[in-house]
């Protein structure tokens, strides 16, 4: 259900045809394609994916660099309780992250490792299938996007996501606790916050890719354990890594085809 | 047929007159005082589109921008006014020239009693 | 016809005032919720659907159950249901209204609800649910209005209403099937991922709904001059018996499949419901109550001598209704979320404001039901 630019214009065009605007609207439409354009330095991909090198990541299991990098740039609030928690990227123990890997005996370091989890940007995303307003959809480059303007907060996508990657704004993220401490410690004015009543999640930093930057978590990882790139490009770093290392994905049996790969 | 026509019809007339009273009153005695005077940028003279267009259509433009950026991954807007390209961003483009939300946005919005929810999420610069 | 709702006894107005008070409190709580956000409820990051969606699911069943009087009466010309068919249709109207209100109460951004119409999305089951629920409401309003009007005038109902009545029969089945599809198509939630969910929903609906209808008839016999009569109540009791037997049979099939295969992701939710996991046992006493009530009520319904005894039948109907309400209106939705996809066990329990909002919606439903029944019974008395 990806809506690319051409489709977007087609849809708006049909809407305009349906209206009384007539020829004038069509003229405006002809111009509209030229009116909007991507930035010159934008990163373009056909199948964005991420490889998480757990061999590097597990060296420091307490490390939260990627989480801090992501949550601070995206104004992710911290309500200080698990009930209202919002997370785009977080750590989970190995056996919780990969319940399908039922091996009783795995190397000790892996057993005690935790994996960074985020939206898998599935090729076949169940969240997109269930959304009643197209507030979440799959882009042509593989990113599962969210439109926070459109979301009605029905939370059907959360019920459908097998990875727990989606969070709901149970409260106003702009608020503050009883002591007056704001839930968003330091706002990044270049990026919006969300409002109460909408669902949010990782978008592979679409706003940074558009400006030629890699995702914040990738940049924030000092171990270089997170590698982002285009799987469609055989020369990309992700492809190279996945060619040379054995990797696993979360709950592959569900047929969602996650695009986040874990090198164990 | 309507029962109690003699009560209902005058009732409706009285209601309409009372309801529209502020409009009549302003037309007859209004001085136009208190009309909003949004603060314009000191340096920058040229907006992304003409002043007239922005005055009446900025909400449509912002809606287009929103959909283009979020849903179509388009980030630049080609001005039909002067051919320049602008990043389509409420916070990073509009508010760069109009840094004072209270004296620019809110002036008219308060006057017109519209409450756009842009600022529930987009962060306005500190004033 | 409608003005009949405005003329009533002191007791009638007292009851209306009581409902209005409950609605008022519920509305105040809803305003609180709008202001604070859905965090005011017991729902959490792990259990993202709770009491509201469970009530919605349960009430879709009550609405669908109207077909159990409509079908015999109109399709098989079963005359004994002539007196109570309109009561079933009115019950459907009030239940569907409650369903829509519960969905509305559950939305994070209710003022954006029109987005479902502005951006129609056929791949979302919620979109289809919107269509079938509103369609069903519309059908029942039309049918009950036309039928009551011709009854009042002593005329044959117009011919065009017949096809609409026939359409309402599969439509009733569709509302609960589509509602089951909301749940049973999600790979993420193994507890709901079962093809028998829709049949189970229908079986529980066709016992729970008519059980409520019998209780309503018995109440009407006490507080009004309306008497549904013995025969329709006994026939309804028979319908409840078969549907409840099918429902319990389906539940046993689910439990067998889960536990004989012994696949952890299928058994764990049942373990949570009946025994608790990791010390989380909120629903355990409720589930056992539900099962025991269900079985005892079914036995009372099956044995002819107890079924024919109206006071025992009343108890059996109440037992059936409560048992199914616990199963669908409390446990079934929550259990799908426990444990979470990463294996976290987070318990859920509705908060006071959440319960007050729910009570308010129920009160709106009862208000609609009271007013509609008042109109129908006054029309009948005038004939």
């Amino acid at each position: 259900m990806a809506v690319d630019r051409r489709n977007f214009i087609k849809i708006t065009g049909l809407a305009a045809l349906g209206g009384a605007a007539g020829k004038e609207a069509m003229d405006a439409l002809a111009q509209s394609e030229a009116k909007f354009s991507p930035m010159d330095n934008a990163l373009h991909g056909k199948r964005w994916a991420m490889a998480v090198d757990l061999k590097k990541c597990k060296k420091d299991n307490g490390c939260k660099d990627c989480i801090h990098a992501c949550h601070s740039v995206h104004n992710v609030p911290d309500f200080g309780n698990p009930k209202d928690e919002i997370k785009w990227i977080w750590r989970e123990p190995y056996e919780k992250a990969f319940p399908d890997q039922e091996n009783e005996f795995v190397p000790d370091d892996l057993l005690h490792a935790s994996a960074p989890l985020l939206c898998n940007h599935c090729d076949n995303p169940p969240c997109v299938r269930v959304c009643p307003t197209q507030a979440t959809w799959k882009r042509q480059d593989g990113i599962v996007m969210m439109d926070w303007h459109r979301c009605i907060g029905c939370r059907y996508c959360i019920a459908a996501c097998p990875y727990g990657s989606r969070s709901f704004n149970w409260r106003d993220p702009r608020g503050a606790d009883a002591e007056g401490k704001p839930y968003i410690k330091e706002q990044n004015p270049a990026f919006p916050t969300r409002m109460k009543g909408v669902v949010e999640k990782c978008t592979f930093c679409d706003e940074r890719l558009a400006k030629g930057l890699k995702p914040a978590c990738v940049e924030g990882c000092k171990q270089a354990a997170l590698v982002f790139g285009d799987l469609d490009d055989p020369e990309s770093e992700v492809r190279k890594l996945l060619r040379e290392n054995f990797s696993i994905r979360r709950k592959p049996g569900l047929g969602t085809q996650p695009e986040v790969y874990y090198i164990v | 047929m309507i029962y109690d026509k003699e009560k209902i019809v005058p009732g409706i007339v009285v209601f309409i007159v009372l309801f529209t009273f502020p409009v009549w009153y302003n037309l007859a005695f209004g001085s136009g005082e208190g009309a909003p005077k949004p603060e314009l940028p000191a340096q920058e003279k040229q907006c992304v589109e003409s002043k007239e267009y922005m005055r009446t259509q900025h909400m449509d433009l912002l809606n287009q921008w929103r959909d283009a950026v979020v849903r179509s991954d388009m980030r630049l807007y080609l001005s039909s006014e002067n051919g320049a390209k602008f990043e389509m961003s409420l916070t990073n483009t509009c508010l760069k020239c109009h840094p004072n939300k209270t004296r620019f946005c809110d002036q008219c919005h308060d006057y017109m009693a519209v409450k756009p929810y842009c600022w529930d999420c987009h962060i306005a610069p500190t004033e | 016809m409608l003005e009949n709702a405005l003329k009533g006894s002191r007791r009638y107005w007292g009851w209306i005032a009581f409902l209005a008070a409950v609605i008022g409190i519920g509305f105040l709580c809803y305003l609180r919720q709008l202001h604070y956000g859905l965090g005011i409820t017991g729902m959490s990051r792990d259990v993202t659907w709770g009491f509201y969606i469970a009530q919605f699911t349960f009430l879709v069943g009550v609405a669908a159950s109207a077909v159990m009087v409509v079908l015999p009466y109109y399709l098989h010309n079963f005359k004994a249901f002539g007196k109570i068919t309109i009561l079933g249709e009115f019950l459907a109207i009030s239940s569907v209204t409650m369903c829509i209100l519960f969905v509305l109460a559950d939305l994070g951004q209710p003022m954006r609800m029109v987005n479902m119409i502005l951006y129609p999305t056929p791949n979302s089951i919620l979109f289809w649910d919107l269509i079938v629920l509103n369609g069903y409401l519309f059908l029942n309003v039309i049918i009950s209005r036309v039928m009551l009007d011709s009854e009042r005038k002593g005329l044959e109902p117009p011919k065009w209403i017949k096809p609409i009545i026939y359409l309402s029969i599969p439509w009733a089945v569709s509302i609960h099937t589509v509602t089951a599809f909301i749940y049973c198509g999600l790979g993420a939630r193994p507890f709901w991922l079962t093809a028998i969910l829709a049949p189970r929903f229908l079986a529980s609906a066709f016992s729970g709904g008519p059980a409520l209808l019998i209780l309503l008839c018995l109440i009407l016999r006490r507080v009004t001059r309306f008497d549904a009569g013995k025969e329709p109540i006994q026939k309804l009791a028979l319908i409840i018996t078969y549907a409840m037997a099918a429902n319990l049979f389906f539940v046993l099939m689910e439990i067998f499949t889960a536990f004989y295969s012994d696949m952890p992701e299928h058994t764990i939710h049942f373990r949570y419901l009946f025994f608790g996991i990791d010390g989380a046992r909120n629903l355990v006493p409720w589930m056992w109550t539900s099962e025991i009530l269900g079985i005892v009520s079914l036995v009372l319904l099956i044995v002819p001598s107890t079924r024919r005894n109206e006071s025992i039948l009343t108890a059996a109907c109440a037992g059936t209704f409560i048992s199914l309400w616990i199963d669908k209106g409390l446990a079934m939705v929550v259990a799908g979320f426990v444990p979470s996809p990463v294996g976290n066990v987070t318990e859920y329990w509705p908060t006071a404001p959440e319960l007050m909002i729910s009570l308010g919606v129920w009160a709106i439903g009862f208000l609609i039901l009271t007013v509609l029944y008042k109109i129908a019974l006054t029309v009948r008395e005038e004939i």
Side-chain angles (χ1 to χ4, degrees):
Chain A
M1 283 306 294
V3 178
D4 61 1
R5 179 160 57 122
R6 203 160 288 276
N7 267 333
F8 164 68
I9 289 162
K10 246 189 247 163
I11 293 165
T12 40
L14 283 175
L17 271 181
K23 189 179 173 301
E24 226 165 287
M26 287 307 288
D27 289 344
L29 208 68
Q31 294 165 9
S32 75
E33 186 146 12
K35 258 186 167 175
F36 304 133
S37 58
M39 289 194 179
D40 300 330
N41 53 352
L43 297 181
H44 295 285
K46 286 198 174 126
R47 189 176 164 193
W48 290 126
M50 188 176 289
V52 181
D53 194 340
L54 283 181
K55 283 187 272 186
K56 286 181 180 165
C57 182
K58 72 194 174 195
K59 276 185 194 152
D60 181 1
N61 257 326
C63 169
K64 288 184 172 168
D65 287 350
C66 54
I67 302 172
H68 287 313
C70 168
H71 286 189
S72 59
V73 75
H74 294 123
N75 294 321
V76 175
D78 177 9
F79 293 102
N81 68 53
K83 180 179 181 290
D84 299 322
E85 191 179 14
I86 291 175
K87 44 196 181 188
W88 288 25
I89 177 167
W90 75 103
R91 299 190 79 120
E92 210 67 71
Y94 173 78
E95 73 275 9
K96 284 193 169 182
F98 303 99
D100 293 340
Q101 304 290 326
E102 282 276 310
N103 301 332
E104 194 182 342
F105 302 103
V106 290
D108 276 355
D109 58 340
L110 196 57
L111 193 65
H112 302 300
S114 69
L117 306 183
L118 61 157
C119 171
N120 276 306
H121 296 276
C122 304
D123 251 3
N124 182 14
C127 54
V128 169
R129 200 181 309 148
V130 300
C131 176
T133 61
Q134 296 153 44
T136 191
W137 72 98
K138 191 161 180 65
R139 294 194 339 186
Q140 295 237 309
D141 59 3
I143 292 179
V144 175
M145 252 312 267
M146 264 301 307
D147 185 347
W148 298 308
H149 307 94
R150 173 91 56 101
C151 176
I152 59 173
C154 70
R155 311 189 294 295
Y156 200 0
C157 56
I158 301 184
C161 175
Y163 305 106
S165 299
R166 289 173 164 271
S167 309
F168 181 70
N169 285 276
W170 296 104
R171 316 171 57 175
D172 184 359
R174 291 270 186 103
D177 62 14
E179 290 153 27
K181 244 175 55 194
Y183 299 131
I184 302 171
K185 270 180 211 85
E186 215 170 300
Q187 288 183 345
N188 167 21
F191 198 79
T193 66
R194 266 66 61 198
M195 65 205 294
K196 63 172 178 265
V198 299
V199 173
E200 62 182 89
K201 69 168 195 81
C202 151
T203 63
F204 262 170
C205 283
D206 69 293
E207 83 286 359
R208 290 170 59 89
L209 301 180
K211 293 181 174 168
L213 299 168
K214 289 206 165 160
C217 56
V218 175
E219 259 182 23
C221 178
K222 292 191 198 77
Q223 307 278 4
L226 305 179
V227 176
F228 180 82
D230 186 2
L231 281 184
D232 207 48
D233 171 12
E235 298 312 312
S236 65
E237 205 187 340
V238 228
R239 274 292 287 277
K240 220 176 121 229
L241 260 179
L242 296 179
R243 198 157 47 223
E244 289 162 3
N245 297 278
F246 175 71
S247 61
I248 56 175
R249 295 188 287 176
R250 297 177 65 199
K251 300 190 182 174
L254 296 178
T256 56
Q257 305 292 353
E259 292 293 15
V260 177
Y261 299 75
Y262 293 86
I263 296 165
V264 287
Chain B
M1 72 165 271
I2 308 173
Y3 298 105
D4 297 332
K5 204 191 266 177
E6 61 285 356
K7 284 180 205 154
I8 289 170
V9 173
I12 291 175
V13 171
V14 168
F15 173 77
I16 290 175
V17 169
L18 278 181
F19 193 77
T20 55
F21 177 71
V23 179
W24 304 123
Y25 183 84
N26 253 341
L27 279 179
F29 306 107
S31 60
E33 234 175 87
K37 295 186 192 68
E39 183 184 88
L40 295 174
Q43 271 84 44
E44 198 61 53
K45 289 283 162 237
Q46 180 59 56
C47 194
V48 295
E49 292 293 346
S50 72
K51 200 174 177 178
E52 293 68 34
Y53 179 84
M54 293 310 287
R55 195 177 285 154
T56 53
Q57 309 291 133
H58 67 279
M59 55 298 256
D60 294 331
L61 186 79
L62 285 172
N63 272 351
Q64 284 176 27
W65 279 22
R66 178 195 63 204
D67 285 347
V69 170
V70 179
R71 304 194 71 89
S72 313
D73 199 27
M74 294 287 132
R75 306 282 161 163
L76 295 179
Y77 177 74
L78 179 71
S79 166
S80 56
E81 185 73 3
N82 59 4
K85 281 190 175 181
F86 295 89
E87 186 192 348
M88 292 186 274
S89 168
L90 177 65
T91 335
N92 305 334
T93 304
C94 306
L95 286 161
K96 201 177 273 171
C97 295
H98 305 281
N100 197 318
K101 170 181 161 283
T102 324
R103 286 203 293 247
F104 184 65
C105 311
D106 295 350
Q107 280 240 0
C108 292
H109 291 159
D110 289 347
Y111 182 73
M112 301 295 289
V114 288
K115 288 198 182 71
Y117 57 81
C118 313
W119 314 106
D120 288 2
C121 299
H122 293 270
I123 299 170
T126 38
E127 288 162 12
Chain C
M1 196 151 79
L2 297 176
E3 70 277 3
N4 289 329
L6 298 175
K7 285 174 275 181
S9 62
R10 184 165 283 208
R11 194 164 54 173
Y12 171 74
W13 283 110
W15 170 240
I16 298 272
F18 167 73
L19 290 176
V22 177
I23 294 169
I25 296 169
F27 187 70
L28 287 179
C29 290
Y30 182 67
L31 289 181
R32 272 296 296 151
Q33 179 184 297
L34 270 185
H35 177 75
Y36 182 94
L38 279 164
I40 207 168
T41 68
M43 292 185 271
S44 60
R45 191 183 193 279
D46 284 341
V47 185
T48 46
W49 280 343
F51 207 66
Y52 298 147
I53 290 298
Q55 300 312 294
F56 152 77
T57 308
F58 178 75
L59 286 165
V60 171
V62 176
S65 75
V67 78
M68 287 292 105
V69 285
V70 168
L71 191 144
Y73 180 61
Y74 291 116
L75 210 58
H76 301 300
N77 205 16
F78 183 69
K79 290 275 188 270
F81 279 175
K83 271 175 119 173
I84 60 165
T85 300
I86 191 102
L87 301 185
E89 287 160 350
F90 281 162
L91 182 58
I93 290 175
S94 92
S95 309
V96 176
T97 312
M98 285 191 268
C99 289
I100 294 168
L101 288 174
F102 271 117
V103 172
L104 200 64
D106 190 67
L107 289 184
Q109 285 291 332
M111 49 295 259
R112 288 188 193 161
M113 191 155 93
V114 278
N115 280 357
M116 285 179 72
I117 299 153
L118 291 177
Y119 311 102
T121 312
N123 48 283
S124 173
I125 302 295
L126 219 49
F127 167 75
W128 293 105
D129 218 37
L130 178 85
I131 291 178
V132 291
L133 281 179
N134 282 296
Y136 192 64
L137 180 61
F138 178 73
L139 287 177
N140 274 290
V141 168
I142 292 273
I143 294 169
S144 52
R145 158 103 213 182
V146 168
M147 296 308 282
L148 192 61
D149 199 41
S150 38
E151 196 180 322
R152 185 174 67 118
K153 292 179 182 142
L155 299 168
E156 277 286 299
K159 276 215 170 61
W160 57 264
I161 199 73
K162 267 271 146 136
I164 294 181
I165 290 171
Y166 293 150
L167 177 65
S168 82
I169 293 169
W171 204 290
V173 178
S174 86
I175 61 168
H176 221 12
T177 307
V178 173
T179 304
F181 284 178
I182 290 179
Y183 299 100
C184 72
L186 305 177
R189 310 286 168 185
F191 182 61
W192 303 329
L193 192 71
T194 162
I196 209 168
L197 201 66
R200 203 183 128 191
F201 271 18
L202 285 166
S204 75
F206 294 160
S207 42
L212 179 60
L213 197 55
I214 288 189
L215 295 175
L216 289 172
C217 286
L218 296 177
I219 293 171
L220 289 179
R221 185 189 288 168
R222 287 227 167 155
V223 300
T224 70
R225 269 166 293 176
F226 173 81
D227 185 5
K230 243 185 153 44
E231 198 195 350
I233 287 183
Q234 280 304 317
K235 279 289 173 210
L236 271 181
L238 213 56
I239 290 172
I240 300 168
T241 311
Y242 284 118
M244 190 60 180
N247 176 55
L248 284 180
F249 177 62
F250 290 163
V251 172
L252 286 174
M253 286 166 79
E254 292 243 53
I255 291 175
F256 169 81
T257 312
F259 283 95
Y260 193 78
S261 70
D262 209 17
M263 289 162 75
E265 63 178 27
H266 289 280
T267 55
I268 192 147
H269 301 279
F270 287 102
R271 278 185 212 282
Y272 168 67
L273 281 178
F274 288 104
F275 308 105
I277 41 176
D278 298 354
R281 322 173 27 93
N282 267 356
L283 290 175
V284 174
W286 291 87
M287 276 321 280
W288 286 106
T289 309
S290 167
E291 298 310 321
I292 292 166
L293 263 182
I295 292 166
V296 171
S297 307
L298 181 61
V299 171
L300 292 178
L301 284 164
I302 289 176
V303 178
S305 59
T306 47
R307 185 177 63 239
R308 287 197 198 107
N309 179 325
E310 239 167 40
S311 30
I312 296 179
L313 178 64
T314 311
C317 284
T320 305
F321 186 78
I322 295 167
S323 162
L324 294 171
W325 179 82
I326 293 172
D327 184 47
K328 239 159 126 191
L330 192 63
M332 176 258 155
V333 172
V334 176
F337 290 98
V338 188
S340 79
V342 290
N344 292 332
V345 177
T346 309
E347 288 248 75
Y348 163 84
W349 200 247
T351 58
E354 195 176 4
L355 288 174
M356 285 319 298
I357 293 170
S358 305
L359 265 181
V361 175
W362 275 94
I364 293 175
F366 274 106
L367 181 68
I368 294 172
L369 197 66
T370 308
V371 166
L372 290 177
Y373 278 13
K374 174 79 172 54
I375 292 169
L377 300 187
T378 318
V379 166
R380 290 266 167 84
E381 280 170 15
E382 281 168 0
I383 297 170

